[in-house]
Amino acid sequence: MALCASFASHSLRALTAALCAAGATLAFSLPAHAQSKVYVSSEKDNKIYVFNTAGERQAAIDVCKRPRDMSFNADGKQIYVICGDSNAMGVVDVGAGKMDGTVPLGESPEMFDLSPDGKTAYVSIEDDSVMAVYDIATKKALFEVKTGGEPEGVLVTADGKTAYVTSEVANVVHVIDLATKKVTKNIKVGKRPRRFVMSPDGAELWVTNELDATVSVVDTKTHTEKQKIKFEVKGMRQNDITPVGMAISPDGKSMWVGLGRANHVAEVDVASKTVKSQVLVGKRAWGLGFSPDGKTLFVANGMSDDMTLIDTASGKALKTVPAGRVPHTILVSK
């Protein structure tokens, strides 16, 4: 503003005033995603790195040991992070940029989901082969449900009545009734199922199968596999195509799948279930997350210690930036 007031000429003052007013308008009308932050958990650094949506690192938050899966609480003021080597869930104050508490968990926690009200955490506990349930406020274990070996992915339905859990050893998705606390069905999928994404209408549950290069699409009404989507990458052996992480575009039209050791991500058309494109990224493409407008996809590359930014309209990688040692999960604020 001092610059705006420094011109003596009337014409220059008028022009400058107009430009300053326009600049002020622009400043207040920036799209929301410009203020968004990208959070990346680093398993080996025991930190969450904070970036802006242009991929510029802005901060690092010290957390518990081997941070992996992350989620915001209901109001976005806290981040919950699963720490596999601390057997705990860290609670991070987003505004202060520091971890200010933990919730004790079982041995070797993997992934989690929250209840619709955000008060309860449903966590896969690998060493115990259970889905364990915790009250976040009281830090108390509520109950657990036995699963097949090496449970990982957890997804709780929007009505809070059902949880889905993958078993990497049993090659199934467990359907758990949360009222009765029992497994009501085991859905056979592909080899070593890992993660979930639910379609926006709740009709389809997508499941990555790491060891057979596929994604299973499950009908949530019949709880049966309705389709498998197979991935191929030119010049890559089939056993190097290891899908794990997924993210659905904000408009619900595209599912992006990290192909692990194949060092690519694939875009799948949700309606037709066909692979539209593939993008070369870093080594072991795993965690994925979208900017709120869906224009940028952020990909954590676990074995090259970096994050790739993809322009989703063109299907081109924009840049790759360092993201700590063994980046795991991407979490983007609104």
Side-chain angles (χ1 to χ4, degrees):
M1 295 303 293
L3 178 64
C4 298
S6 64
F7 292 95
S9 162
H10 174 76
S11 59
L12 283 176
R13 284 201 304 271
L15 176 60
T16 304
L19 289 173
C20 291
T25 301
L26 287 171
F28 285 105
S29 61
L30 284 173
H33 71 83
Q35 307 302 322
S36 297
K37 302 295 182 187
V38 182
Y39 298 88
V40 185
S41 56
S42 167
E43 291 190 72
K44 292 293 185 182
D45 290 349
N46 301 328
K47 296 179 187 292
I48 297 173
Y49 290 107
V50 186
F51 297 82
N52 62 20
T53 52
E56 299 164 334
R57 186 187 293 184
Q58 299 188 322
I61 303 170
D62 291 316
V63 292
C64 32
K65 295 179 181 178
R66 200 185 178 201
R68 307 188 80 198
D69 197 18
M70 298 186 291
S71 180
F72 288 109
N73 74 336
D75 62 13
K77 294 181 179 179
Q78 293 177 319
I79 292 173
Y80 302 133
V81 55
I82 297 295
C83 292
D85 288 350
S86 293
N87 298 327
M89 182 173 75
V91 181
V92 174
D93 183 314
V94 172
K98 67 177 183 179
M99 188 177 77
D100 58 7
T102 59
V103 177
L105 304 176
E107 294 287 330
S108 191
E110 287 274 337
M111 306 291 288
F112 76 113
D113 200 5
L114 299 172
S115 60
D117 62 9
K119 296 179 179 180
T120 307
Y122 298 83
V123 186
S124 54
I125 307 296
E126 184 176 52
D127 285 3
D128 296 335
S129 297
V130 298
M131 180 192 75
V133 184
Y134 301 87
D135 183 288
I136 297 173
T138 65
K139 303 184 179 183
K140 300 293 185 183
L142 300 177
F143 65 91
E144 58 185 39
V145 178
K146 192 69 177 175
T147 67
E150 297 184 24
E152 177 156 327
V154 181
L155 187 147
V156 177
T157 55
D159 60 10
K161 294 180 179 180
T162 304
Y164 297 101
V165 180
T166 58
S167 166
E168 297 175 19
V169 172
N171 299 328
V172 301
V173 172
H174 301 295
V175 183
I176 299 173
D177 184 301
L178 294 177
T180 63
K181 306 176 179 62
K182 295 182 181 297
V183 174
T184 59
K185 188 168 184 178
N186 294 315
I187 307 168
K188 193 72 175 174
V189 287
K191 295 178 182 177
R192 196 174 170 84
R194 300 294 298 270
R195 309 281 177 80
F196 296 117
V197 171
M198 184 72 77
S199 64
D201 61 3
E204 294 179 348
L205 182 68
W206 291 49
V207 189
T208 50
N209 302 307
E210 185 180 16
L211 295 188
D212 63 15
T214 65
V215 165
S216 293
V217 181
V218 171
D219 185 313
T220 57
K221 288 184 179 179
T222 63
H223 283 148
T224 57
E225 182 189 70
K226 59 187 281 189
Q227 189 171 346
K228 265 197 179 81
I229 301 165
K230 187 79 172 177
F231 297 97
E232 297 179 351
V233 178
K234 188 175 181 179
M236 302 294 295
R237 288 176 292 193
Q238 199 68 34
N239 61 4
D240 285 329
I241 303 171
T242 54
V244 175
M246 287 186 293
I248 192 167
S249 59
D251 63 9
K253 294 181 179 180
S254 292
M255 189 75 73
W256 288 76
V257 184
L259 299 182
R261 293 196 305 269
N263 304 336
H264 282 73
V265 294
E267 181 186 10
V268 180
D269 180 76
V270 169
S272 67
K273 311 294 187 295
T274 57
V275 178
K276 295 172 61 177
S277 64
Q278 294 178 349
V279 183
L280 178 65
V281 290
K283 294 180 180 179
R284 202 198 73 175
W286 204 312
L288 289 77
F290 274 99
S291 62
D293 61 8
K295 293 181 178 180
T296 307
L297 178 70
F298 304 92
V299 182
N301 305 308
M303 297 308 293
S304 52
D305 298 340
D306 49 32
M307 175 176 69
T308 300
L309 283 68
I310 294 173
D311 177 80
T312 56
S314 66
K316 303 290 186 183
L318 299 170
K319 65 167 77 170
T320 296
V321 299
R325 294 181 299 162
V326 192
H328 186 278
T329 294
I330 304 280
L331 186 63
V332 186
S333 66
K334 300 300 184 186

